[in-house]
Amino acid sequence: MESYQAQIPGSEVTFEMIAIPGGQFEQGSSHSDGNADEQPVVRVEVPAFWMGKHEVTWAEYKQFMKLCSIFEKFDDREIRQVTDENEIDAISAPSKLYDPSFTFQAGEEPDQPAVSMSQFAAKQYTKWLSLLTGDFYRLPTESEWEYACRAGTTTAYYFGDDPDLIDEYAWTDDNAEYETHPVGQKLPNAWGLYDMHGNAAEWVLDEYRPGWYASLPTRLCTTEETLCWPSKLYPRVLRGGSMYVLPADCRSASRRASNDEDLRSYDPNTPKSPWWFASDEAIDIGFRIVRPLETPSREEQEKYWQADVPSITSDVNRRIDQEGRGERGLVDPELPQAISSLRDSSGAKAKSP
Amino acid sequence: MTELNPAQASSRRTFLQNTAVTAATISTLGFPQAVHAAESDTLRVGLVGCGGRGTAAAIDALSADPQTTLVAIGDTFPDRSAACLQTLSDTPEIASRVAVTEDTVFSGFDNFKKVIDSGIDVVLLATPPHFRPEHLAYAVKQGKHSFVEKPIAVDVPGVLSVQKTCEEARQKNLAVVSGLCWRYDLGVKETMKRIQDGAIGEIVSIESRYNTGTLWHRGHEPGWSDMEYQIRNWLYFTWLSGDHINEQAIHSLDKTAWLTGDTQPVQAMGIGGRQQRTDKKYGNIFDHHVVFYEYPSGVRVFFTTRQQDNCTPFVDEIVMGTKGTARILTNRIDGEKKWKYRGPKPSMYRVEHEELFKSIRDDTPINNGGYMTNSTLLAIMGRMCTYTGQDLKWDDVITNTERLGPNTYEWGSVSEGTVAIPGKTTIA
């Protein structure tokens, strides 16, 4: 198992995946500075996986964001239509960002982390990337995230216990000026992962429950056992501090609960966007992808990608079918070819002199 | 029911006293519907226009005041009101106060009258803007408080009608709260206040940008008449939306108006057209407008708006002063002292409804008629300049008598209007 670099098919954009060896660790905090929701510590056996060296960047995410208008054009030409039979290979692409003044407040440089997406949109991104590349990508579980962040350490941060050293390692409320910064500028952890203690907060798969660790067995657990599958829209877990978060809450064990309703409060329409948060309080929310070494069955994969509560599905359907915002489309290895024929058939692309 | 806290209890008492007076006054004027408010302290709400914005406004209204009930809804299309009702029923926080029945869901072009005549106290007007002047006039005639989504008209006669209606509302002590929501945003309000207090000195000029991506299109189903197709895709038809300079970018022009004291410019110059939006499905609106407004004080507003894909988006006002600059939406001031708003940011959509209902209960009804009509005129002035290619004076605008759209509304064919060509298009 080796770290690797991959290209998003149909683009020049690349991303790096770091090999994370399997192992056991203690999840949570036994330190006095730990919060109640990080206790008691849980012993977890984590199988090997790859994890994104960086948070997903705008360069990567914009490849996904482009799909909405592409799927609209397929629809206009009645090609690659989504049917009941092929729906399993379809994703819902996020609506075009109409007024991104909040979303891009910190900039939209290709090497800045993509932010403001809902956890559902992040999961659809992993489905798109998987069906496009043939490799299974998904969001990390909370256990995988913390295991990868710690990289074998048991201290509060992967660089030790002293928050005063964090400026070398992370963008936090202390040094970021309320803005996200290009990924990979600070020092990585022992496994080579960057920005795990700050910059953008990162979605994981889990629902947030403050007493979750206490409800788990005291024996060695599997990551399937420790994963808290969501049963409601929010709160869900955000990991890894951020540029809005004080260093004390950027620790390896720190858990943050999302409040999706607040994050959507600047959205003028109802149902509110299932893909985007319109509030500037969301401009520190991004994600990082993982790829497990063992690829589960296709049926199993769906669980990690799809809407997990019915209200998301009904909001998606209503936004797309009644409001014409967002679009569904098929994703397969032929998609890049179909996109470039679309470009060819619409005439030579205008070039500036 | 939980106990009222002292502040609420006192405002309830004030409310009961005040509505008793109001009801007496109104009944002598012959508006018996309004006495509903006096019978209990529940305010009955009706919604006209059941799209995403109207649905959200209904949720905001019910969330803003615990003693409210939604009793009637209306939309031209029954499928839209059904979807709205479904969403409201699926919203746990307010579902118990949705008291709409089969008999109080209305459709067709006259749905607004039926909603307004359903024994309501407050109406939320959220249809495409073309219809707003007629809807608001009827609401005020019938003695209703109103939440009025922006913009309030698509042409000058429509704005003048709304001005008259707002004056009538003032005389009748009725609230008219505008959907120009940034006026209710705490961060923007605080930034504006600091600018007014001199944080950047005197304002010299304002650069205003509302440059975005494109919006939805709802397709063309077989069996839809021209009228149905156009109303369902109302954004793209100037007679329905007033063009995107009016329908969306009014948020920006309203902030420039706020910064210039809600006064009127002397004249304006405009350039606009459509380059991406060439398909027939996009009706007759432009996809970009640039307008320079000149104010009597010498202040100039340099305004751009664009709805095109794959172009740099940017929405904000950059205010240049003698002692610094400010960015309104970013809530940031770079003056002698740097400042950025970091206070609470409750949803401005919620706040505008909280203030609406509070003003009704305190018997000090808010009337936003002044700025909401003035800002709509700015947008219409800009559009007249970009469509014709002529520099226009304020007087050229306010004396314009062109009414957009058909004279009567019925299912069937209706002209979608032609795409304006600067230099050829003239103002009627």
Side-chain angles (χ1 to χ4, degrees):
Chain A
M1 185 187 191
E2 286 186 14
S3 301
Y4 65 94
Q5 184 180 46
Q7 192 161 9
I8 295 180
S11 82
E12 304 287 308
V13 176
T14 58
F15 58 97
E16 288 181 72
M17 299 298 291
I18 302 287
I20 307 292
Q24 296 178 8
F25 87 117
E26 290 193 346
Q27 178 177 348
S29 180
S30 53
H31 295 263
S32 54
D33 59 355
N35 294 325
D37 64 352
E38 302 159 15
Q39 294 165 0
V41 294
V42 183
R43 289 192 303 135
V44 194
E45 168 92 45
V46 184
F49 60 97
W50 288 271
M51 185 179 233
K53 183 176 180 179
H54 302 299
E55 290 151 351
V56 170
T57 61
W58 280 125
E60 294 158 64
Y61 202 70
K62 281 186 176 177
Q63 295 297 318
F64 174 62
M65 286 162 62
K66 284 202 303 208
L67 292 172
C68 184
S69 51
I70 288 165
F71 290 161
E72 277 172 10
K73 291 194 185 98
F74 289 155
D75 234 28
D76 286 351
R77 287 162 207 216
E78 298 182 349
I79 53 173
R80 291 179 63 90
Q81 303 272 35
V82 179
T83 63
D84 287 350
E85 287 71 47
N86 64 20
E87 200 183 2
I88 189 157
D89 290 331
I91 60 152
S92 72
S95 48
K96 287 176 275 186
L97 263 181
Y98 170 67
D99 168 9
S101 29
F102 294 135
T103 313
F104 294 158
Q105 205 178 98
E108 49 170 322
E109 294 304 315
D111 57 357
Q112 280 181 298
V115 292
S116 292
M117 75 292 289
S118 66
Q119 193 227 30
F120 168 69
K123 294 198 314 191
Q124 291 283 287
Y125 175 94
T126 61
K127 180 175 184 180
W128 162 74
L129 189 62
S130 302
L131 296 180
L132 204 55
T133 58
D135 295 327
F136 172 56
Y137 292 99
R138 59 168 170 79
L139 290 184
T141 70
E142 198 173 1
S143 295
E144 287 167 335
W145 193 94
E146 184 171 329
Y147 174 71
C149 177
R150 290 186 172 282
T153 64
T154 55
T155 44
Y157 307 90
Y158 63 65
F159 54 83
D161 284 321
D162 185 358
D164 290 345
L165 300 177
I166 203 164
D167 185 42
E168 297 275 310
Y169 298 90
W171 294 109
T172 69
D173 179 85
D174 265 7
N175 61 354
E177 303 280 333
Y178 308 122
E179 290 186 345
T180 50
H181 292 259
V183 298
Q185 291 191 331
K186 299 288 184 179
L187 294 173
N189 73 4
W191 285 336
L193 299 169
Y194 287 80
D195 298 305
M196 295 294 276
H197 287 310
N199 213 13
E202 299 175 16
W203 285 118
V204 295
L205 288 164
D206 302 57
E207 176 171 307
Y208 175 81
R209 287 190 208 162
W212 180 244
Y213 294 5
S215 73
L216 293 170
T218 52
R219 60 170 165 75
L220 185 65
C221 295
T222 66
T223 49
E224 282 87 42
E225 286 174 311
T226 57
L227 171 54
C228 184
W229 282 104
S231 59
K232 49 185 193 255
L233 187 60
Y234 73 93
R236 301 205 174 179
V237 179
L238 287 158
R239 284 300 203 125
S242 87
M243 52 84 170
Y244 272 163
V245 174
L246 293 167
D249 294 317
C250 295
R251 291 169 296 108
S252 304
S254 300
R255 312 175 68 204
R256 171 172 156 200
S258 71
N259 182 334
D260 299 37
E261 193 180 327
D262 275 4
L263 297 171
R264 288 192 164 94
S265 68
Y266 274 64
D267 193 332
N269 291 281
T270 298
K272 307 211 175 295
S273 172
W275 303 285
W276 292 109
F277 295 130
S279 164
D280 69 348
E281 295 300 308
I283 64 167
D284 70 332
I285 295 179
F287 67 105
R288 187 184 302 256
I289 56 173
V290 297
R291 175 183 165 196
L293 181 60
E294 295 293 325
T295 304
S297 69
R298 175 65 200 269
E299 197 185 2
E300 187 78 2
Q301 293 176 18
E302 291 293 324
K303 271 194 352 194
Y304 292 95
W305 294 334
Q306 298 297 27
D308 40 48
V309 296
S311 72
I312 300 176
T313 308
S314 66
D315 284 359
V316 167
N317 291 344
R318 207 178 145 195
R319 291 286 282 202
I320 294 178
D321 299 330
Q322 288 171 23
E323 308 293 334
R325 301 173 201 248
E327 195 58 85
R328 292 183 201 86
L330 296 177
V331 182
D332 51 43
E334 276 76 60
L335 178 61
Q337 184 52 45
I339 295 173
S340 58
S341 0
L342 200 61
R343 228 176 273 136
D344 297 341
S345 67
S346 67
K349 210 177 173 190
K351 276 199 173 151
S352 53
Chain B
M1 204 187 133
T2 53
E3 264 187 19
L4 296 171
N5 66 38
Q8 283 174 319
S10 115
S11 75
R12 293 266 186 283
R13 275 197 300 275
T14 318
F15 168 71
L16 286 171
Q17 285 163 7
N18 288 337
T19 42
V21 175
T22 312
T25 319
I26 284 172
S27 61
T28 59
L29 294 168
F31 300 107
Q33 296 91 335
V35 300
H36 281 285
E39 287 168 8
S40 74
D41 55 6
T42 295
L43 289 169
R44 294 157 61 87
V45 180
L47 169 65
V48 177
C50 290
R53 184 74 271 277
T55 305
I59 294 171
D60 286 326
L62 294 178
S63 307
D65 186 307
Q67 294 289 97
T68 47
T69 312
L70 183 73
V71 296
I73 64 173
D75 194 281
T76 320
F77 306 110
D79 58 299
R80 302 293 289 181
S81 42
C84 168
L85 195 52
Q86 185 64 51
T87 302
L88 296 174
S89 313
D90 290 344
T91 306
E93 305 81 60
I94 50 102
S96 65
R97 287 182 286 122
V98 177
V100 176
T101 67
E102 263 178 43
D103 297 337
T104 57
V105 178
F106 303 104
S107 58
F109 290 110
D110 62 348
N111 74 81
F112 72 97
K113 287 190 177 170
K114 294 173 181 162
V115 171
I116 289 168
D117 291 337
S118 293
I120 58 168
D121 306 298
V122 182
V123 67
L124 316 175
L125 301 177
T127 65
H130 172 86
F131 303 104
R132 198 90 71 245
E134 185 186 10
H135 292 183
L136 183 62
Y138 191 72
V140 171
K141 175 167 175 266
Q142 300 298 80
K144 310 304 176 192
H145 303 287
S146 309
F147 170 76
V148 191
E149 202 30 270
K150 55 80 202 166
I152 48 82
V154 297
D155 49 31
V156 176
V159 178
L160 298 182
S161 154
V162 171
Q163 275 176 345
K164 200 165 134 267
T165 302
C166 290
E167 187 45 44
E168 190 183 333
R170 198 183 312 278
Q171 285 162 16
K172 287 182 176 175
N173 216 28
L174 296 170
V176 179
V177 164
S178 159
L180 288 164
C181 45
W182 293 104
R183 299 259 183 177
Y184 291 88
D185 183 80
L186 299 194
V188 168
K189 277 171 86 168
E190 182 60 27
T191 310
M192 289 289 190
K193 184 177 172 297
R194 281 167 187 258
I195 294 171
Q196 276 155 11
D197 291 347
I200 59 166
E202 293 293 315
I203 295 174
V204 176
S205 65
I206 302 162
E207 181 185 326
S208 170
R209 295 193 224 167
Y210 202 97
N211 298 339
T212 71
T214 55
L215 276 163
W216 48 262
H217 192 282
R218 295 183 180 137
H220 198 334
E221 299 292 323
W224 284 359
S225 63
D226 288 352
M227 182 63 104
E228 176 159 8
Y229 172 72
Q230 288 179 35
I231 295 182
R232 286 192 185 269
N233 290 292
W234 61 273
L235 295 181
Y236 301 107
F237 303 94
T238 306
W239 75 269
L240 281 160
S241 67
D243 202 314
H244 73 100
I245 188 177
N246 186 51
E247 188 271 313
Q248 280 292 331
I250 190 170
H251 280 304
S252 270
L253 289 171
D254 183 55
K255 285 190 248 43
T256 69
W258 192 352
L259 286 159
T260 47
D262 294 307
T263 57
Q264 291 79 41
V266 180
Q267 62 178 356
M269 181 283 296
I271 296 172
R274 48 192 258 164
Q275 292 168 314
Q276 282 193 359
R277 192 168 262 163
T278 51
D279 196 290
K280 189 176 174 344
K281 76 180 193 181
Y282 298 122
N284 67 327
I285 66 167
F286 280 4
D287 63 7
H288 64 282
H289 304 256
V290 173
V291 188
F292 293 177
Y293 297 89
E294 296 175 38
Y295 281 81
S297 62
V299 169
R300 290 184 181 226
V301 172
F302 306 108
F303 163 81
T304 73
T305 181
R306 172 169 69 193
Q307 285 185 343
Q308 292 177 345
D309 284 330
N310 307 318
C311 298
T312 305
F314 188 94
V315 179
D316 207 344
E317 276 57 59
I318 301 155
V319 191
M320 285 155 278
T322 50
K323 291 180 184 166
T325 61
R327 280 182 50 181
I328 302 298
L329 286 187
T330 321
N331 305 161
R332 193 174 200 139
I333 291 176
D334 290 316
E336 283 165 342
K337 270 169 59 183
K338 286 195 184 217
W339 174 83
K340 179 161 166 46
Y341 180 78
R342 291 292 298 160
K345 286 205 163 183
S347 158
M348 58 190 172
Y349 305 104
R350 188 64 51 84
V351 173
E352 62 194 359
H353 284 274
E354 285 167 357
E355 297 205 11
L356 164 64
F357 285 97
K358 183 173 183 304
S359 83
I360 296 171
R361 294 196 182 280
D362 293 349
D363 197 30
T364 52
I366 294 172
N367 189 317
N368 295 147
Y371 69 71
M372 77 183 190
T373 52
N374 191 54
S375 295
T376 305
L377 281 173
L378 288 177
I380 291 170
M381 180 184 205
R383 185 190 71 216
M384 287 166 66
C385 291
T386 61
Y387 277 15
T388 61
Q390 308 302 316
D391 293 5
L392 296 175
K393 296 202 181 310
W394 183 256
D395 287 344
D396 300 330
V397 176
I398 52 164
T399 53
N400 183 265
T401 56
E402 187 185 14
R403 183 190 173 280
L404 303 181
N407 289 319
T408 56
Y409 309 116
E410 52 203 33
W411 303 120
S413 65
V414 54
S415 165
E416 59 181 49
T418 52
V419 178
I421 299 175
K424 288 189 178 170
T425 300
T426 53
I427 50 174

